[in-house]
Amino acid sequence: MKKKTTYIFLSLIMSAFMLDLFSQNPFIDLDNAQRCFNEYGKNKTNQSILDSAKFYIDRAVEDPDLATSGLAYNYRGAIYKELYKARENNDFNSSYRARSVEYFLRSNELDTTTKNREIVKQQIKWLAIQFNNDAKKIDRKSTRLNSS
C-alpha cells in the first residue's frame, strides 16, 4: 500500500511539473488566448473567460518568440477591445480602449499582409468612432454647463 501511495504522489508531482512546464510555452499561451477569446464570443456573459484570454495573451507577447508576431498583437488588440466594451464602455479615459488601439497599430507594423491590414483598419475604425462619440458627449456636457 505504501508503494502505491508513493507512486501516486510522485505521479501527481510529475503531472503538476509537466503542466507548469507546458503552460510556460508562449505558443500554448497564444493558443489558449485564442480559445478563450473564441469561447467568450459564444458567451459574452462569462467574464472569467475574457480574463483568462487577457492573462494568456499578455504572457504570450512577453516572450521574444511572439513579441514580433502580428497575429499575437491582433488578438491582444481584440481582447482589450472586448475588455473595453465589457468593463469601461462609459469611461472616457478607458485604458483598455487606448491599449487596444496601441496593440492593433503594433499588429499593423508587424504583419503587413493585406488581410491583417483590413482587419486592423476595421478594428481601429470602430474604436475611433467610440472616441468620437465620447468627444461629442463631452462637448454637449460642456455646452450645457456654459449655457447655464
Side-chain angles (χ1 to χ4, degrees):
M1 183 71 178
K2 189 173 180 178
K3 283 185 178 183
K4 190 173 187 177
T5 306
T6 304
Y7 177 75
I8 291 171
F9 179 73
L10 289 174
S11 295
L12 288 172
I13 290 176
M14 290 297 291
S15 297
F17 176 76
M18 293 303 287
L19 282 174
D20 187 54
L21 179 68
F22 285 119
S23 68
Q24 299 300 316
N25 184 321
F27 295 99
I28 291 174
D29 286 341
L30 178 59
D31 187 52
N32 286 336
Q34 291 168 332
R35 287 181 195 188
C36 291
F37 183 71
N38 292 336
E39 188 63 32
Y40 177 74
K42 297 175 192 171
N43 181 10
K44 294 197 180 216
T45 59
N46 191 342
Q47 295 293 305
S48 64
I49 294 173
L50 192 56
D51 291 331
S52 294
K54 179 187 178 299
F55 169 79
Y56 286 121
I57 198 65
D58 286 347
R59 193 164 75 171
V61 298
E62 288 175 4
D63 190 274
D65 290 335
L66 289 176
T68 57
S69 167
L71 175 66
Y73 275 95
N74 197 313
Y75 265 100
R76 196 175 196 194
I79 290 166
Y80 275 75
K81 176 184 163 191
E82 289 301 320
L83 285 163
Y84 159 69
K85 288 167 50 178
R87 300 194 180 139
E88 295 181 350
N89 200 19
N90 294 319
D91 182 355
F92 296 142
N93 299 311
S94 169
S95 64
Y96 288 132
R97 178 174 54 186
R99 285 197 244 159
S100 180
V101 170
E102 176 187 333
Y103 300 145
F104 281 127
L105 291 173
R106 181 75 175 131
S107 173
N108 204 39
E109 290 172 8
L110 296 170
D111 182 354
T112 59
T113 62
T114 304
K115 181 179 178 183
N116 187 61
R117 288 192 178 250
E118 281 302 313
I119 292 168
V120 167
K121 180 180 174 183
Q122 290 302 315
Q123 297 291 351
I124 290 178
K125 182 177 179 181
W126 186 89
L127 291 161
I129 290 169
Q130 304 314 305
F131 277 113
N132 186 51
N133 290 344
D134 283 351
K136 288 178 183 178
K137 288 176 193 174
I138 292 170
D139 187 49
R140 281 191 294 257
K141 284 182 182 180
S142 174
T143 303
R144 275 188 259 137
L145 289 174
N146 289 336
S147 65
S148 300

